[in-house]
Amino acid sequence: MTIKVLGYAAHSPTASLVPYRFERRDPRADDVTIAIIYCGVCHSDLHTTHNDWGNTQYPVVPGHEIIGRVTAVGAKVTRFKVGDTVGVGCLVDSCQDCEPCEHGLEQYCKGAVLTYSAIDPKDGRVTKGGYSQAVVVNEKFVLHIPNGLDLKGAAPLLCAGITTYSPLRHWGVKQGSNVAVTGLGGLGHMGLKLAKAMGAEVTLFTRSPGKEKDALRLGADTVVLSSKPDEMKAVAGTFDLIIDTVPYVHDLNPYIPTLKVDGTLVLVGYLGPLDNALNTAPLVLERKAVAGSLIGGLPETQEMLDFCGEHGITADVEVIRMDAINEAYVRMRKSDVKYRFVIDMASLKD
Ligand code: NAP
Ligand code: ZN
């Protein structure tokens, strides 16, 4: 039996999000059906809604920071039962057969199916995300939410949390590491909290004067205004790792000198060509690297949730009604959110 749901969708790159009725697929034997309680609002939702990456399938129902309760499980589901509190992030399927999948790196599988605006090869339908009442997901792509975590603050862990946790782990951040995060938004504030919890010395690079106090509260030891050359100079040769969350094209050259020998700047925000050519000299001369990183695989996402459960880490959120989403997009574009909007799905009524 298909499940009829109400959601919010955009029908073109320039259209506002509006109420939209659609059907979820018939749950399969290995599917979990989830009533959505909260859904975080990621800058990727905005990029996809506006077709910034040129591959949006309209109508698009965004949302990949999903927290909900299990309302039904298929006959073959073993890891979940009705009533469990669960999460769904950016992925809802993958081939399960390739090298990345074998290593729990489903995000790098060529057959990975994103939670929204992707064609599901199993039925040819376009996936629809968490700005909706319910979702049907293969149990392999459903996550356990640790007891005791505030659910609205836990929603952004499913994307902002794992996207910053994964590079921190991959590049071996530990007690005493020196880490910088560029941009204090949804991803950036999670980066500060997680790096601090891993024992790192943490710096925020921001273009916004006025964020210092919050940054220190969120885990930064130092705040550097990236527009001030003297402040940038003062941190030359400091960082083992920089996680750059800035969503739009920007010049990377001023950040490279702030890396130590062997340091790495990891891009997680902007996807595309750079306006300013990257000067390779400091990379060659000091074995520095510029790299990228995409969300995280399923095992690492569960590890991150458990880490957040142990350390009591959640996002700082502003809860909104579903019908406030268009205003939230405008505010997010202006960085006017502290530090993640989360939609209360109870506000979405027939
Ligand atoms: P966000 O909440 O809007 O935060 C972005 C931050 O970047 C802003 O708060 C701002 O911080 C800084 N910024 C610098 N220049 C900016 C500009 N021209 N416009 C807007 N912000 C600017 O965004 P988010 O949800 O953290 O997402 C950040 C980026 O990561 C997006 O591009 C998103 O698509 C991407 N993303 C990637 C992955 C992945 O797997 N790699 C996963 C999720 C999201 P300051 O004011 O402190 O400078
Ligand atoms: Zn996201």
Side-chain angles (χ1 to χ4, degrees), residues 159-273:
C159 176
I162 184 59
T163 302
T164 46
Y165 182 91
S166 183
L168 290 168
R169 282 287 188 232
H170 181 77
W171 275 276
V173 168
K174 55 184 187 306
Q175 193 74 33
S177 299
N178 230 311
V179 173
V181 173
T182 310
L184 186 57
L187 268 56
H189 95 293
M190 288 311 309
L192 296 184
K193 290 186 186 208
L194 291 167
K196 191 73 201 167
M198 290 177 193
E201 181 80 12
V202 186
T203 295
L204 172 71
F205 286 121
T206 178
R207 64 184 177 148
S208 308
K211 287 190 175 174
E212 292 87 346
K213 215 170 134 200
D214 275 358
L216 298 177
R217 176 179 59 78
L218 293 165
D221 301 288
T222 308
V223 179
V224 173
L225 269 180
S226 51
S227 55
K228 295 235 169 117
D230 55 325
E231 291 194 23
M232 295 297 281
K233 218 168 166 186
V235 290
T238 301
F239 304 112
D240 301 293
L241 183 71
I242 301 174
I243 300 181
D244 181 335
T245 76
V246 175
Y248 298 96
V249 69
H250 56 291
D251 188 5
L252 302 185
N253 291 301
Y255 297 93
I256 306 297
T258 72
L259 291 168
K260 284 182 188 166
V261 171
D262 275 335
T264 303
L265 183 152
V266 183
L267 293 159
V268 295
Y270 174 67
L271 278 75

Side-chain angles (χ1 to χ4, degrees), residues 323-342:
D323 59 13
I325 186 65
N326 295 301
E327 187 197 331
Y329 272 19
V330 173
R331 285 184 49 199
M332 185 161 61
R333 188 69 184 81
K334 292 191 287 195
S335 305
D336 175 23
V337 49
K338 290 182 173 174
Y339 279 91
R340 197 57 139 190
F341 289 114
V342 170

